[in-house]
């Protein structure tokens, strides 16, 4: 029996119960009202307004350029479409790394101006002060470990993280520190499946994996990748459920043909 079947709104408490009952958490990114409405209607537990909006919505190479104002715009649109899902929003690069007060102010802006239900930020022990301060203000925080795209210029590559013992040990202790700080969940991105399993087992809060194996407590994908809108992006962890790129292209070409051939609009499509 599903923990969350009859609930009006998914909460952090319900996510915790889902972990306890072994019910997997489904999470996808969303950036706009229309998509959020569909995903919420489909029954997603969590919608992540990811800073991947910087890539898939704005066409930037990295997540670094997106601003707090832009994230709030996307988040407010998603919140208007999400009747039941828990909506969590990424704190963008540069909006929380300075100090815990800056982090709190950014989180408050997201909550006040978008109506979202929680925030996510990247990093381990180095962001614990900020996490604690945000949580003290009553804002649920989700952590993000492993491949943290805001640090891409430090890593130099989007390859799998924590394959070596030292980085794996640091990730394990970071995960415990985030749990201790009060995070309601942690995204684990692109790490070995064995490590994803070990971290998930060691925590009482849920882990949500993206390229972190099947033993995380939930899974997340970037929706544009999952529905095949992003052309040519096929990492091993991605399961593509649709090929919307070709579907939309075919539709657009059919429309061009109809317009140029004087077939659209026909008698029934005019006043
Ligand atoms: O920004 C994003 O979409 C994310 C997911 C990849 C977890 O953080």
């Amino acid at each position: 029996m599903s923990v969350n079947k009859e609930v009006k709104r998914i909460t952090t408490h319900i996510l915790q119960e889902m972990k306890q009952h072994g019910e997997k958490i489904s999470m996808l990114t969303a950036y706009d009202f229309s998509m959020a409405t569909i995903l919420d209607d489909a029954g997603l537990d969590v919608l992540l307004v990811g800073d991947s909006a910087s890539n898939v919505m704005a066409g930037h190479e990295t997540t670094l350029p997106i601003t707090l104002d832009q994230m709030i715009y996307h988040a407010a649109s998603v919140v208007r479409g999400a009747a039941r899902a828990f909506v969590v929003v990424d704190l963008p690069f540069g909006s929380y790394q300075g100090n815990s007060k800056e982090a709190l102010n950014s989180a408050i802006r997201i909550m006040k101006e978008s109506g979202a239900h929680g925030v996510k930020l990247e990093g381990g022990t180095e962001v614990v002060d900020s996490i604690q301060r945000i949580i003290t203000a009553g804002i649920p925080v989700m952590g993000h470990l492993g491949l943290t795209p805001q640090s891409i210029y430090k890593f130099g590559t989007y390859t799998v993280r924590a394959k070596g013992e030292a980085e794996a040990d640091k990730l394990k202790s970071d995960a415990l520190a985030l749990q201790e700080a009060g995070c309601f969940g942690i995204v684990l991105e692109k790490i070995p499946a064995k490590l994803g399993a070990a971290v998930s087992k060691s925590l009482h809060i849920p882990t949500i994996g993206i390229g972190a194996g099947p033993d995380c407590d939930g899974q997340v994908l970037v929706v544009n990748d999952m529905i095949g809108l992003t052309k040519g992006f096929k990492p091993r962890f991605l399961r593509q459920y649709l090929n919307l790129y070709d579907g939309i292209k075919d539709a657009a070409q059919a429309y061009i043909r109809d317009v140029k051939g004087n077939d659209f609009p026909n008698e029934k499509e005019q006043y």
Side-chain angles (χ1 to χ4, degrees):
M1 169 79 188
S2 164
V3 171
N4 68 9
K5 221 167 168 210
E6 306 299 335
V7 300
K8 283 204 176 121
R9 170 75 72 187
I10 301 290
T11 62
T12 56
H13 183 71
I14 288 169
L15 297 175
Q16 178 81 52
E17 276 188 351
M18 289 171 74
K19 170 158 181 146
Q20 279 159 10
H21 288 81
E23 181 178 343
K24 298 277 182 170
I25 296 166
S26 59
M27 172 161 145
L28 280 173
T29 65
Y31 315 102
D32 66 68
F33 171 78
S34 303
M35 185 65 78
T37 305
I38 298 169
L39 300 181
D40 189 79
D41 195 26
L44 262 295
D45 299 311
V46 184
L47 296 183
L48 168 66
V49 185
D51 59 358
S52 49
S54 179
N55 309 107
V56 297
M57 301 306 285
H60 293 295
E61 208 176 299
T62 73
T63 57
L64 274 63
I66 199 160
T67 66
L68 187 56
D69 284 340
Q70 288 166 340
M71 287 302 297
I72 289 169
Y73 170 81
H74 287 297
S77 310
V78 169
V79 167
R80 285 191 284 273
R84 177 179 167 280
F86 185 87
V87 179
V88 59
V89 182
D90 267 335
L91 284 174
F93 178 69
S95 73
Y96 63 96
Q97 289 92 344
N99 55 58
S100 65
K101 189 163 178 230
E102 181 190 49
L104 175 62
N105 288 340
S106 302
I108 286 176
R109 278 203 60 203
I110 285 178
M111 301 299 282
K112 253 182 139 56
E113 296 176 40
S114 76
H117 313 124
V119 298
K120 173 166 89 56
L121 51 81
E122 297 182 4
T125 48
E126 63 282 2
V127 288
V128 155
D129 281 355
S130 298
I131 289 173
Q132 282 169 337
R133 197 156 177 179
I134 296 170
I135 291 171
T136 304
I139 301 171
V141 177
M142 178 170 243
H144 185 153
L145 296 171
L147 176 65
T148 47
Q150 292 178 12
S151 302
I152 185 57
Y153 291 115
K154 183 176 86 181
F155 297 143
T157 150
Y158 286 103
T159 192
V160 181
R161 302 304 313 175
K163 280 165 97 176
E165 203 179 319
E167 199 180 331
D169 285 348
K170 159 97 170 97
L171 192 143
K172 284 181 193 164
S173 60
D174 277 343
L176 288 171
L178 296 186
Q179 172 174 269
E180 183 69 18
C183 283
F184 71 86
I186 303 177
V187 165
L188 298 175
E189 180 163 355
K190 243 183 161 180
I191 59 170
K194 264 190 173 170
L195 180 59
V199 172
S200 304
K201 203 168 169 210
S202 75
L203 301 178
H204 60 74
I205 57 170
T207 59
I208 311 288
I210 173 163
D215 295 316
C216 295
D217 303 301
Q219 298 291 330
V220 59
L221 286 174
V222 169
V223 70
N224 292 44
D225 302 336
M226 179 264 190
I227 60 176
L229 261 180
T230 26
K231 196 175 169 59
F233 182 67
K234 289 257 176 66
R236 194 204 294 204
F237 67 77
L238 175 64
R239 186 175 294 177
Q240 195 183 303
Y241 287 80
L242 268 178
N243 181 353
L244 266 192
Y245 188 97
D246 286 342
I248 293 173
K249 189 174 164 192
D250 288 349
Q253 287 178 335
Y255 173 72
I256 294 167
R257 269 195 309 276
D258 289 351
V259 170
K260 293 199 182 278
N262 272 326
D263 185 54
F264 175 78
N266 62 25
E267 296 101 76
K268 286 186 194 150
E269 292 162 333
Q270 56 185 282
Y271 300 100

